[in-house]
Amino acid sequence: MTILVTGGAGYIGSHTVLQLIEGGFDVVVLDNLSNSSQESLRRVESLVSKAIPFVEGDINDKAVLSSLFSRYDIDAVIHFAGLKSVGESVKNPIDYYINNVSGSLQLLDAMRKANVKKFIFSSSATVYGNHSPVPNLEHYPIGNASCPYGTTKVMLEQILSDYAKADSEMKIIALRYFNPTGAHPSGLIGEDPNGIPNNLVPYISQVAIGKLAKLAVYGGDYDTVDGTGVRDFIHVDDLAAGHVCALKYFDSMSGYEIFNLGTGHGVSVLQVIDAFEKASNQKIKYEIVARREGDIASSWADATKAEKVLGWKAKYDIIDMMKHTWNWQKQNPNGYESQ
Ligand code: NAD
Ligand code: UD1
């Protein structure tokens, strides 16, 4: 079975490509390398001792897509390719809608022409918006995303649901990721953000390695266990495993299905710092400052549907996540750039 992985050179994509190959799938990666380096795939190749077919190209490029689908006999597509920066999407919404929405439509159109009927989409907990009760359940209403990035995910879920209704042979799974973190235990692949990280764990990890002076903790007055924000951090290898389970589930499903991928537990920012300190034996300098605009107090998943239906459950805890993040950061202080 051959799987096209768009965005496969990226953070979640590279970990998923590794598990797909380990699970016996053939993989083709399409990535325009706008937010990644081909070095991630070279490292996956070294872990599996196998070459990974790679097409450098854009999901918005019809010619690239049609030549890819005619060259390879693709059975299913896992679609990670997309831009994901919240702040950037507020500044350049048009770029986000073109890249994420229009790009996904071009991809679906190329699949339709090539008669490819299985699709897994990278969605996000951000679709639940700012007022959803926690834990979030898949059937809760979505929308009111706090930024254009989030809106692209809401729009694409709607498009996918419509498409699955219109074509009874189409099988589509949307996976709503909570807060992915961690790295492969080897330390060979991991998260390599551009510039100063926006997300908590990469920021902490760059404070620990000495690249950043101190962490700003956004808000100490939320109605949570210790006043700081609470999130459902999920190990990237658990997420990757969720994609393999979803692919296997295609045999027993039809239409459109949504699954939360989270641990089902919330962890506060201060608890993350504490876990990182324990896992790395490093002291993290931090200061509690004002809340960040657009943030919510708490977000965590009800992950029981994925467990019941896909047979998937997260196995790593926050200490493992921090241990593996630190292992990756220590071995690759400059990410995939040559050191
Ligand atoms: P990433 O930026 O590391 O990976 C995305 C990959 O897609 C990159 O390799 C990038 O070069 C590629 N890409 C972007 N636009 C493209 C285009 N037009 N054509 C071809 N390739 C393109 O991000 P990630 O963290 O691995 O996220 C993967 C997916 O998961 C994204 O769709 C993201 O929105 C979604 N997601 C991520 C998170 C998270 O916290 N990381 C949370 C929820 C959902
Ligand atoms: C953010 C995005 C979300 C996106 C997700 C994954 C916002 C509002 N939401 O989620 O749309 O899907 O990233 O890319 O940006 N924190 C600090 N200091 C920091 C960074 C973060 O205290 O320097 C806190 C935040 O206030 C929050 C928690 O850490 O309480 C997690 O933040 P972050 O890692 O950015 O993820 P989210 O905000 O949950």
Side-chain angles (χ1 to χ4, degrees):
M1 196 170 175
T2 304
I3 316 298
L4 169 62
V5 183
T6 73
Y11 172 44
I12 306 170
S14 54
H15 289 78
T16 305
V17 166
L18 172 59
Q19 287 197 27
L20 288 170
I21 297 172
E22 286 172 344
F25 293 94
D26 291 320
V27 169
V28 177
V29 171
L30 170 67
D31 200 303
N32 65 3
L33 303 178
S34 60
N35 196 38
S36 55
S37 149
Q38 220 183 317
E39 177 63 13
S40 63
L41 293 176
R42 285 193 277 272
R43 297 200 183 176
V44 175
E45 288 179 332
S46 77
L47 285 164
V48 294
S49 308
K50 204 174 165 178
I52 300 169
F54 175 70
V55 177
E56 183 173 345
D58 198 292
I59 50 168
N60 254 311
D61 187 332
K62 279 180 199 266
V64 164
L65 290 172
S66 82
S67 104
L68 191 156
F69 281 107
S70 53
R71 186 157 158 220
Y72 297 98
D73 192 9
I74 304 292
D75 297 288
V77 175
I78 304 183
H79 179 36
F80 293 105
L83 299 174
K84 62 165 184 177
S85 159
V86 170
E88 213 176 69
S89 80
V90 173
K91 282 192 206 120
N92 303 311
I94 300 300
D95 290 349
Y96 270 65
Y97 290 117
I98 290 175
N99 195 80
N100 293 7
V101 181
S102 156
S104 300
L105 286 170
Q106 295 296 352
L107 175 64
L108 288 165
D109 189 38
M111 284 176 63
R112 182 171 56 162
K113 288 175 181 144
N115 209 29
V116 178
K117 299 288 186 182
K118 294 176 187 148
F119 190 75
I120 296 178
F121 175 59
S122 295
S123 191
S124 166
T126 193
V127 300
Y128 289 110
N130 286 359
H131 305 292
S132 189
V134 281
N136 298 137
L137 271 158
E138 287 87 348
H139 66 266
Y140 285 177
I142 63 166
N144 297 315
S146 62
C147 63
Y149 161 70
T151 306
T152 68
K153 297 292 181 193
V154 173
M155 287 175 164
L156 284 163
E157 285 204 11
Q158 181 65 53
I159 290 166
L160 293 172
S161 155
D162 291 345
Y163 186 24
K165 274 185 210 138
D167 179 347
S168 61
E169 288 174 28
M170 244 354 253
K171 298 179 183 208
I172 302 180
I173 296 177
L175 299 176
R176 292 180 181 158
Y177 314 151
F178 278 67
N179 288 60
T181 190
H184 188 261
S186 66
L188 282 178
I189 54 172
E191 187 171 12
D192 182 16
N194 268 335
I196 297 177
N198 295 311
N199 295 118
L200 178 66
V201 177
Y203 203 107
I204 292 179
S205 157
Q206 293 198 12
V207 170
I209 201 87
K211 287 180 131 186
L212 295 168
K214 114 175 131 175
L215 171 76
V217 173
Y218 298 132
D221 57 353
Y222 286 109
D223 184 14
T224 59
V225 57
D226 55 22
T228 63
V230 166
R231 296 292 184 273
D232 188 339
F233 295 92
I234 166 99
H235 196 294
V236 64
D237 274 347
D238 279 328
L239 268 192
H243 293 74
V244 177
C245 293
L247 271 180
K248 292 180 178 160
Y249 180 60
F250 276 137
D251 288 340
S252 40
M253 73 164 272
S254 60
Y256 177 58
E257 290 271 3
I258 300 164
F259 296 96
N260 285 339
L261 294 184
T263 62
H265 306 289
V267 177
S268 77
V269 172
L270 293 183
Q271 288 168 342
V272 173
I273 296 172
D274 183 57
F276 193 95
E277 289 183 337
K278 288 198 172 101
S280 66
N281 219 10
Q282 304 288 310
K283 200 83 199 129
I284 303 300
K285 262 183 110 176
Y286 72 88
E287 180 186 6
I288 298 183
V289 301
R291 294 179 179 191
R292 179 173 68 179
E293 206 188 315
D295 273 356
I296 52 176
S298 299
S299 152
W300 69 88
D302 183 313
T304 47
K305 183 180 175 196
E307 184 173 358
K308 271 192 207 138
V309 179
L310 300 178
W312 172 89
K313 195 175 187 316
K315 64 175 195 204
Y316 289 113
D317 66 15
I318 191 73
I319 295 278
D320 301 320
M321 295 179 222
M322 297 305 108
K323 227 184 248 169
H324 296 160
T325 298
W326 181 232
N327 188 35
W328 151 256
Q329 181 74 72
K330 266 189 314 186
Q331 289 187 49
N332 307 273
N334 299 313
Y336 290 114
E337 254 175 49
S338 53
Q339 286 132 47

